[in-house]
Amino acid sequence: MKSTNEKDYDKSNKIKAVSLNRFSKTDYKNLLLDDGDRQKLAQALVDYLCVKFRIPRALVIVTNKPQPHTTGYSGRLKSKTFGFYKPILREITIYNTTAVRKQTVSIKVFADTLLHEFMHHYDTFYLKIKSMHTEGFYKRISDLERKLS
């Protein structure tokens, strides 16, 4: 008999698209213009998506702390965290500053990270599964981005 995690993994892998097809492109395009407050623009997009999917609102936190990262023995960058999602608090945190150079992340990286973390929220509250990095998870992100563009 499969565990809950295995069932969630299988379900996540099978679902390759978000459940809606029609979206306003305004909030996503406003975010990509990057001519305003990223916190405000990101929250507006997530609020819009939560309303569209009829799921609880998620709070977006944009921090200017450098991305947490690890380095290898040579001192070269090994991995970094772009953002994270806390399902119990319904919080999406995005790091707005690069790990090493401490520069503002590009708007494309910022937007991609926001959609990635939103998909964890979607999985948790819409699909009602434990959100995992499956092939289906990444296909749902691509589907949502394509529909918003």
Side-chain angles (χ1 to χ4, degrees):
M1 190 154 136
K2 286 190 175 185
S3 71
T4 301
N5 278 350
E6 289 172 315
K7 289 177 188 174
D8 285 351
Y9 186 90
D10 290 346
K11 183 176 181 181
S12 178
N13 241 348
K14 289 177 185 170
I15 302 170
K16 307 211 183 306
V18 294
S19 66
L20 300 174
N21 291 316
R22 298 187 57 153
F23 293 93
S24 166
K25 298 173 184 342
T26 304
D27 290 318
Y28 188 64
K29 286 184 179 178
N30 285 343
L31 176 66
L32 292 177
L33 288 174
D34 197 25
D35 62 356
D37 180 349
R38 284 187 178 187
Q39 171 84 44
K40 182 179 172 187
L41 294 168
Q43 188 66 64
L45 176 60
V46 168
D47 286 349
Y48 168 75
L49 291 172
C50 288
V51 168
K52 283 293 283 183
F53 289 113
R54 296 185 176 137
I55 58 178
R57 181 178 189 260
L59 176 66
V60 177
I61 299 167
V62 177
T63 180
N64 285 318
K65 293 178 185 173
Q67 298 162 332
H69 63 285
T70 58
T71 55
Y73 293 115
S74 65
R76 297 184 83 188
L77 185 67
K78 196 172 174 183
S79 69
K80 58 185 171 181
T81 301
F82 294 91
F84 59 90
Y85 173 64
K86 292 181 184 174
I88 292 174
L89 298 174
R90 297 191 318 245
E91 285 181 356
I92 294 170
T93 299
I94 309 291
Y95 291 99
N96 198 34
T97 306
T98 60
V100 177
R101 294 188 180 176
K102 297 174 181 50
Q103 298 173 328
T104 302
V105 299
S106 75
I107 193 58
K108 181 66 173 135
V109 167
F110 183 90
D112 288 349
T113 303
L114 182 65
L115 292 183
H116 176 107
E117 300 309 333
F118 173 78
M119 193 55 58
H120 286 301
H121 185 63
Y122 174 88
D123 285 359
T124 301
F125 288 95
Y126 190 86
L127 297 180
K128 298 185 184 336
I129 60 173
K130 181 177 184 207
S131 190
M132 295 176 250
H133 294 143
T134 64
E135 181 182 345
F137 174 84
Y138 288 105
K139 288 191 177 196
R140 288 191 297 282
I141 294 170
S142 295
D143 180 60
L144 179 60
E145 183 178 15
R146 183 180 51 76
K147 291 173 179 175
L148 287 170
S149 298

